[in-house]
Amino acid sequence: MRLLPLLLAATMTTAPVLLLGQTYQNGVDAYKAGDYEAAFEIFQPLATEGDSSAQWSLGVMYENGEGVPQDISRAIKWYRMAAEQGVATAQLNLALMYEYSKGGVPQDYAEAAKWYRMAAEQGSYVAQYFLGSMYEYGKGVAQDNAEAAKWYRMAAEQGVAGAQLILAKWYFSGRGVTQDYARSGKWYRLAAKQGDLSAMYRLSLMYWFGEGLAQNYMNAYILFNLVAAQEVESARDYRDMAAEKLTPDQLAEAQRLSSEWEVGEPLPLQGG
């Protein structure tokens, strides 16, 4: 995973190791400038001296072949050293390698779940989502929908649309949680706000049929119209049926609201 540009600054040690006048930040600067060879020469001695951020950085560079020939075994070596010092991103990278057998690494779901848990407990929303998936499908852990819902909820609360969508479905059906249509609608709204078409479509159906939510043809039209704009044929059919339920003024207003909405904004629905 090419996480380095996004995460280097966040994983810098608070007391950088000094060696030959170079610090971890010097390596970060070289990496950002595209001088991978220089970055590697700075990170390597720091990593050898025990700098966990430099260890993780070397793992990324070996995994991606940046400044060095790609070498998955060395990537794992450095990831593990950083992970054992508590670097969440290294724990996540290790977990992904073991789950998906990247670079010929033997697939090991139990090992993946172990590292996902460590990163998830430190607040990594990516690890929380994947750990939820491990529990949902019983990969490396005993299958447990309630435990899956727990980790999906943590990821959802940090804004992961995929986790929000899963929670919405589960609250609607009562899988792993107590059935709760209001919470289902809440999570569908949050995922839809991020532009998730599946969430928009399912929420529109709830408004159309009055399943779990008060029947509201205007809200249904707005959502069907948003989904139909993405070439979803069935949404177009429902949108046209919803239009027949609205007065001309309501239809004009619904068209205006859906046309002005942008991803990230609250959904333009009656009642919020």
Side-chain angles (χ1 to χ4, degrees), residues 55-238:
Q55 290 168 348
W56 172 74
S57 301
L58 284 186
V60 173
M61 297 184 80
Y62 273 117
E63 180 180 358
N64 296 325
E66 295 171 324
V68 291
Q70 187 180 51
D71 189 326
I72 298 301
S73 64
R74 289 189 178 183
I76 290 176
K77 166 193 168 182
W78 289 111
Y79 281 149
R80 187 176 297 278
M81 292 176 71
E84 289 172 349
Q85 292 201 67
V87 177
T89 47
Q91 294 164 348
L92 174 61
N93 285 29
L94 270 181
L96 290 166
M97 286 185 139
Y98 280 115
E99 181 176 4
Y100 295 104
S101 188
K102 183 167 183 180
V105 175
Q107 191 171 58
D108 189 331
Y109 290 141
E111 191 73 3
K114 163 189 160 183
W115 292 111
Y116 279 140
R117 183 182 306 281
M118 289 184 175
E121 288 175 347
Q122 293 196 68
S124 167
Y125 57 82
V126 178
Q128 289 165 352
Y129 178 84
F130 279 107
L131 185 56
S133 177
M134 301 293 272
Y135 275 107
E136 179 181 358
Y137 296 104
K139 294 164 63 175
V141 293
Q143 199 281 334
D144 188 330
N145 284 336
E147 191 70 10
K150 164 189 163 182
W151 291 106
Y152 281 142
R153 185 179 296 106
M154 290 183 184
E157 288 171 349
Q158 294 201 67
V160 178
Q164 293 168 345
L165 178 61
I166 290 171
L167 277 184
K169 293 178 181 178
W170 286 18
Y171 272 115
F172 190 86
S173 65
R175 180 180 178 184
V177 294
T178 301
Q179 189 176 51
D180 188 323
Y181 291 136
R183 289 187 178 181
S184 176
K186 165 196 167 182
W187 289 114
Y188 274 136
R189 284 187 183 89
L190 288 171
K193 178 181 177 181
Q194 297 193 62
D196 188 290
L197 285 181
S198 180
M200 285 185 192
Y201 193 48
R202 287 174 178 269
L203 187 59
S204 63
L205 291 172
M206 290 175 74
Y207 279 119
W208 173 252
F209 290 109
E211 291 181 334
L213 295 172
Q215 193 170 51
N216 188 310
Y217 294 126
M218 186 166 181
N219 284 350
Y221 179 93
I222 291 168
L223 291 165
F224 284 136
N225 201 30
L226 290 171
V227 177
Q230 303 303 315
E231 307 301 324
V232 179
E233 191 64 33
S234 60
R236 291 179 179 176
D237 295 336
Y238 276 115

